[in-house]
Amino acid sequence: MRHWLSMLDYTPETLAGLVGLARRIKAGEARDRTAAIREKILVQVFFNPSLRTRTSFEAAMLRFGGHAICLNVGGDTWKLEHRDGVRMDGDAAEHVKEAVPVLARYGDALAVRTFAALRSAEEDAREAVLRAFGRYSSVPVINMESAVEHPCQGLADWMTCEEKLAGGARGKHFVVTWAPQVKGLPMAVPHSAVLAAAAAGMNVTIAHPPGYELGGAFLDKARQWSAAAGASLSVTHEQFEACRRADALYVKSWGASGLYGDARAQADSFRQHAGWTVDVGHLGPRTILMHCLPVRRNVVIGDAALDDPRSVVVDQAENRMWAQAAILCDLFAGKR
Ligand code: CP
């Protein structure tokens, strides 16, 4: 069974094909491909909240003649257990071993959002809930943001760079800068943004304070893809200089892996690095400003930068719909 769980399961060439398809769908040029969505049912399972992901998937299904069902775990459905061999005498009334195969009988694909618990980096890296969905489903499973990856977002980010940067993404400078927050956040979005930019052949710089290193496996793969494309990947603690060199400046907050499970120490660290908030002065004359949203104004990015014409955050969010339409077409292709 082919799933869309991780960019690491795909080659840069295949990912580039999906970005190309997304752009053709957006331009209304791929009706032969979008026919694959017609009369299909997508079952979305959310363990965490969403504005864009839920709506963009539903919109992609509805626009091309399919239908989407949305379940909020613990809200409008039972709480789900995913661990093997446990005595289920707590909150969870149903195990994914039954729930996932049942949902797969109703839908043509399942999509799941399951964020990092942020208690243990090792536990989050195992992606236990996402992997259980993949294991127990008889239809394709889509990762709508998991503990360590957000591949739908990454594909939309790549598409946005292709659209917005003169001459396309390849060879351009893609800078991911850390920014402060009010609470710890996972690394899923920066991991996928870096992987996508590396696959696109962009020169990637990651700027963050010491202690905020991204996951080694993702950096290793991104370095490998960058090198294969003749591009570079570097890490710096000098934010301002990196930002000013950017063709595309991607702002994102994430937590320090060394502070996992320690909310107070994490909050203190954010306060110490309050100067990392990005504002209009960080933008070069032709820099595009990117963020996956939602964004806390004047904590992560200042009003002046978000309201500047160089901000492409709304276009980037729109592209989630087209990128996901491409993923759905690909997963449904050949299935009647
Ligand atoms: N970027 C993103 O995934 O947005 P939501 O959390 O609103 O779905």
Side-chain angles (χ1 to χ4, degrees), residues 19 40 44 93 100 102 125 134 138 203 209 226 243 246 270 273 278 300 330:
V19 172
K40 296 296 192 303
Q44 299 175 275
V100 172
V102 166
S138 56
N203 294 298
S226 285
C243 290
F270 285 143
H273 297 104
V278 169
V300 179
D330 188 59

Side-chain angles (χ1 to χ4, degrees), residues 46 49-56 113 115 144-145 150 153 189 291-294 320:
F46 285 92
S50 164
L51 185 147
R52 278 145 292 276
T53 302
R54 173 182 175 169
T55 317
S56 56
R113 165 165 282 198
F115 285 173
M144 296 193 296
E145 188 173 349
H150 196 353
Q153 182 70 54
V189 168
H291 190 283
C292 63
L293 304 181
R320 292 288 305 278

Side-chain angles (χ1 to χ4, degrees), residues 116-164:
L118 296 178
R119 285 188 297 267
S120 145
E122 293 73 30
E123 183 188 313
D124 285 342
R126 278 197 286 277
E127 299 270 42
V129 177
L130 181 73
R131 296 292 160 190
F133 268 71
R135 195 159 54 249
Y136 299 127
S137 177
S138 56
V139 297
V141 176
I142 297 170
N143 178 351
M144 296 193 296
E145 188 173 349
S146 62
V148 294
E149 278 193 76
H150 196 353
C152 296
Q153 182 70 54
L155 210 64
D157 298 339
W158 181 347
M159 177 181 177
T160 306
C161 288
E162 295 291 355
E163 277 182 356
K164 297 290 179 184

Side-chain angles (χ1 to χ4, degrees), residues 16 68 112 213 216 253 266-267 285:
V112 59
E213 289 73 22
S253 309
Q266 183 63 79

Side-chain angles (χ1 to χ4, degrees), residues 173-181 189-190 193-194 204-209 212 214 234-244 246 248-254 273 275-279 282-283 287-292 295 299-301 305:
H173 282 97
F174 184 86
V175 177
V176 178
T177 180
W178 180 91
Q181 250 288 349
V189 168
V194 167
V204 179
T205 302
I206 304 160
H208 60 72
Y212 283 85
L214 293 176
S234 60
V235 177
T236 180
H237 302 317
E238 304 298 327
Q239 184 200 35
F240 192 77
E241 291 72 15
C243 290
R244 292 288 301 183
L249 177 59
Y250 201 108
V251 186
K252 188 70 185 82
S253 309
W254 64 88
H273 297 104
W276 281 67
T277 298
V278 169
D279 216 329
H282 291 78
L283 304 179
T287 305
I288 60 167
L289 175 67
M290 303 179 72
H291 190 283
C292 63
V295 63
V299 173
V300 179
I301 305 177

Side-chain angles (χ1 to χ4, degrees), residues 80-81 88 93-104 136:
L80 296 176
E81 178 59 73
M88 288 174 52
E94 180 151 18
H95 202 283
V96 292
K97 279 188 179 179
E98 285 80 43
V100 172
V102 166
L103 295 176
Y136 299 127

